[in-house]
Amino acid sequence: MMKDDLTIWHIHGLELPLDIEDADTVEKYEAALAQLEQNIPADKSGGTAAYIRAYCKAFRTLYDTLFGDGTAEQIFAGISDNARQYTAVYGEFLTFVAKQAAQAQEAQRQLQKKYLPKGGRR
């Protein structure tokens, strides 16, 4: 089955497949998000620069876990450890996932509307 644009995240010239309607993909996605939550430093007690480096490393680990080793290096090529820039990329990623989820929900709603009797009874 060919992947459509809904399941391809386009970022910095890369095309990264992620289908949130696929159970194996969702398991990997959920595990990667849990790992991200664990890896984000809790505070800046080790210094601000160390915090930023650990913060950025957490996101690199997320993308390598989801898309394969070396992906983060490609996504962040030419970008130093910069919390603002890493956060912006993560925002783009979350927007991609949210759009895919909304479109999947709408497709399901349209099917139900078309095929279920009025009132939702079978």
Side-chain angles (χ1 to χ4, degrees), residues 47-105:
T48 302
Y51 173 87
I52 292 170
R53 292 191 196 291
Y55 179 85
C56 293
K57 182 180 179 185
F59 285 102
R60 288 192 302 273
T61 299
L62 169 79
Y63 298 119
D64 282 346
T65 299
L66 274 176
F67 301 110
D69 289 341
T71 303
E73 187 176 319
Q74 293 175 4
I75 291 173
F76 296 108
I79 299 175
S80 63
D81 284 348
N82 182 299
R84 182 183 58 257
Q85 291 179 325
Y86 275 63
T87 300
V89 168
Y90 187 56
E92 290 178 41
F93 175 69
L94 292 179
T95 299
F96 160 75
V97 171
K99 182 178 179 182
Q100 190 181 134
Q103 289 176 336
Q105 289 173 347

Side-chain angles (χ1 to χ4, degrees), residues 19 25 27 35 38 40 45 57 82-83 88 97 99 113:
D19 185 350
T25 300
E27 283 178 351
Q35 185 178 23
Q38 276 187 329
I40 295 285
S45 60
K57 182 180 179 185
N82 182 299
V97 171
K99 182 178 179 182
K113 183 179 173 183

